[in-house]
Amino acid sequence: MKVLLINGSPKEKGCTYTALCEVAKTLNEENIETEIFHIGNKPIRGCIGCGNCAKTQSGRCVFNDDTVNVALKKAQEADGFIFGSPVHYAAASGAITSFLDRAFYAGKKYFEYKPGAAIVSCRRAGSTATLEQLNKYFTISNMPLVSSQYWCMVHGNTPEEVVQDLEGMQIMRTLGKNMAWLLKCIKVGQANHINIPKKETKIQTNFIRK
């Protein structure tokens, strides 16, 4: 079993990375393989709603000049996901927002029915708003949402300060244990022929009435 941890910070080894490493360490102790994937610090296009990925069902975005399709290839082999972001203006980073918009639009089938969790790092505030934003990707994609003993956040302005957030570090470890537990439960279910729910034909409505 493998968990893909997405680092949505422009800093490859900053505060968000420090928190993700604590989760990954715990997962490894539970015999779960991990990979931390940095989305990079180069521009990531936003989704333009061209619909090409929906037409082709390729599981790839039409734009191939950033890290989105690289991550989607890795997502195919992952059993669970953890998205990490710093807090920028009480929201997730612009880069991971564009990244996840396109990743979920083009490659939703690689995420469905796999457990997901989000973690955020901040200096002081804006963390709960950011968590709410990130968690919405899971709850629109048939993904079990993994939680911890408290909101999944760490505080600090540097990696060294994040390590001093003892409660935050414990929250990350608890998240890792909970993710490992759920993955193992799913594996047992699959071995006993408990399959994912059968989907109904999707219904889409709007609120415009003639």
Side-chain angles (χ1 to χ4, degrees), residues 176-193:
K177 291 175 184 176
N178 290 348
M179 173 66 82
W181 170 75
L182 184 53
L183 286 172
K184 291 173 184 178
C185 288
I186 291 172
K187 187 175 182 180
V188 170
Q190 291 171 338
N192 286 275
H193 310 292

Side-chain angles (χ1 to χ4, degrees), residues 31-52:
N31 296 314
I32 305 293
E33 184 183 350
T34 59
E35 179 180 356
I36 298 178
F37 180 83
H38 185 223
I39 67 172
N41 55 15
K42 302 224 176 124
I44 295 178
R45 299 170 182 261
C47 179
I48 63 169
C50 68
N52 186 70

Side-chain angles (χ1 to χ4, degrees), residues 12 15 26 39 59 63 69 71 98 106 118 148 155 159-160 163 172 181:
E12 185 174 4
C15 297
T26 303
I39 67 172
F63 296 124
N69 284 331
S98 295
S148 187
H155 290 78
E160 292 75 22
V163 171
M172 296 301 111
W181 170 75

